[in-house]
Amino acid sequence: GQQVMQIPQYQHVQEGEDFTTYCNSSTTLSNIQWYKQRPGGHPVFLIQLVKSGEVKKQKRLTFQFGEAKKNSSLHITATQTTDVGTYFCAVVTGFQKLVFGTGTRLLVSP
Amino acid sequence: ETGVTQTPRHLVMGMTNKKSLKCEQHLGHNAMYWYKQSAKKPLELMFVYNFKEQTENNSVPSRFSPECPNSSHLFLHLHTLQPEDSALYLCASSHGTSGSDEQFFGPGTRLTVL
């Protein structure tokens, strides 16, 4: 079945440093979604990307969809302690179901 | 956020017990989902219901039995579970039924099987 790999699995940064997580698929994707799960919480939708090469920004977060629509990235500029959590990408398979990536756990030290 | 609620929030059960998890969405959505989240594993889709009809059973063991009496309520009946079934069980809903819509998650039920 569809597999979606995310790297890194874990990253620990100092507050103010930048952070990037990457999502990779072996197949071409129709779209990709990103979710954030705070420790002890549940996944919360952040954004959906649909177009090849698309770039979207939400304050300090920048989301990008690759030109070949096989990969995506989430970049956080100047991290804050409130950014702590696990970031998941999710893709729709041909069976019309959402498959979640392995997630990147971000820890931010003050 | 109270769009999707789940009860109970925590559950401890023995392997011979029967229990049920409940999910309710107040968003007027047409699709509801059960996911399992274990430590060190990605979110695993278990079941999908569109307009009350089950459209996906992701090879889930029969000791998990879903029920969707209407578009707002979803249950997961549990029977003779195994310790490896201990996990966070998340319910989600979406407006559309294509699988590509934004999904809204409930807070989850933390299940421990002894």
Side-chain angles (χ1 to χ4, degrees):
Chain A
Q2 173 81 46
Q3 288 194 348
V4 182
M5 298 304 297
Q6 278 186 255
I7 53 171
Q9 283 190 316
Y10 171 82
Q11 189 152 6
H12 185 179
V13 300
Q14 293 294 122
E15 192 171 24
E17 293 180 338
D18 292 356
F19 160 77
T20 304
T21 174
Y22 300 90
C23 182
N24 298 297
S25 167
S26 57
T27 60
T28 302
L29 305 168
S30 57
N31 58 45
I32 193 162
Q33 299 178 10
W34 285 93
Y35 291 77
K36 176 184 178 181
Q37 185 173 18
R38 294 180 185 274
H42 57 276
V44 174
F45 175 84
L46 295 175
I47 209 160
Q48 176 165 267
L49 304 173
V50 179
K51 299 177 183 176
S52 167
E54 188 171 16
V55 178
K56 287 188 177 180
K57 293 190 176 184
Q58 290 179 350
K59 298 182 181 178
R60 295 176 296 102
L61 276 61
T62 301
F63 303 84
Q64 186 163 4
F65 205 3
E67 293 289 344
K69 299 184 75 174
K70 288 186 175 182
N71 54 69
S72 180
S73 63
L74 158 58
H75 179 80
I76 303 178
T77 303
T79 54
Q80 300 175 357
T81 54
T82 52
D83 296 324
V84 164
T86 301
Y87 293 84
F88 295 97
C89 62
V91 303
V92 178
T93 70
F95 302 103
Q96 297 182 323
K97 62 182 186 182
L98 207 57
V99 173
F100 281 79
T102 47
T104 295
R105 184 176 161 217
L106 173 63
L107 183 61
V108 181
S109 294
Chain B
E1 299 176 20
T2 57
V4 182
T5 57
Q6 288 186 244
T7 55
R9 296 292 307 275
H10 300 273
L11 178 62
V12 179
M13 59 186 289
M15 289 191 286
T16 58
N17 292 158
K18 287 185 181 180
K19 296 287 184 184
S20 295
L21 310 185
K22 179 183 176 182
C23 174
E24 183 174 1
Q25 59 99 357
H26 312 271
L27 302 168
H29 286 170
N30 300 308
M32 296 188 76
Y33 312 82
W34 278 117
Y35 287 89
K36 175 183 179 182
Q37 187 174 39
S38 309
K40 301 180 182 180
K41 290 181 78 174
L43 271 162
E44 300 173 72
L45 179 66
M46 300 174 73
F47 302 103
V48 180
Y49 277 82
N50 293 330
F51 299 105
K52 303 188 303 178
E53 300 298 322
Q54 185 182 128
T55 57
E56 180 75 26
N57 177 336
N58 205 23
S59 303
V60 180
S62 59
R63 56 186 184 271
F64 295 91
S65 174
E67 178 190 0
C68 189
N70 54 61
S71 293
S72 300
H73 293 86
L74 186 63
F75 295 88
L76 188 62
H77 304 299
L78 314 173
H79 177 50
T80 58
L81 295 192
Q82 304 298 312
E84 59 264 29
D85 296 322
S86 298
L88 180 67
Y89 288 85
L90 290 158
C91 173
S93 70
S94 66
H95 179 73
T97 58
S98 69
S100 62
D101 283 45
E102 167 187 357
Q103 293 190 12
F104 292 76
F105 285 81
T109 295
R110 175 69 63 184
L111 174 67
T112 302
V113 182
L114 302 176

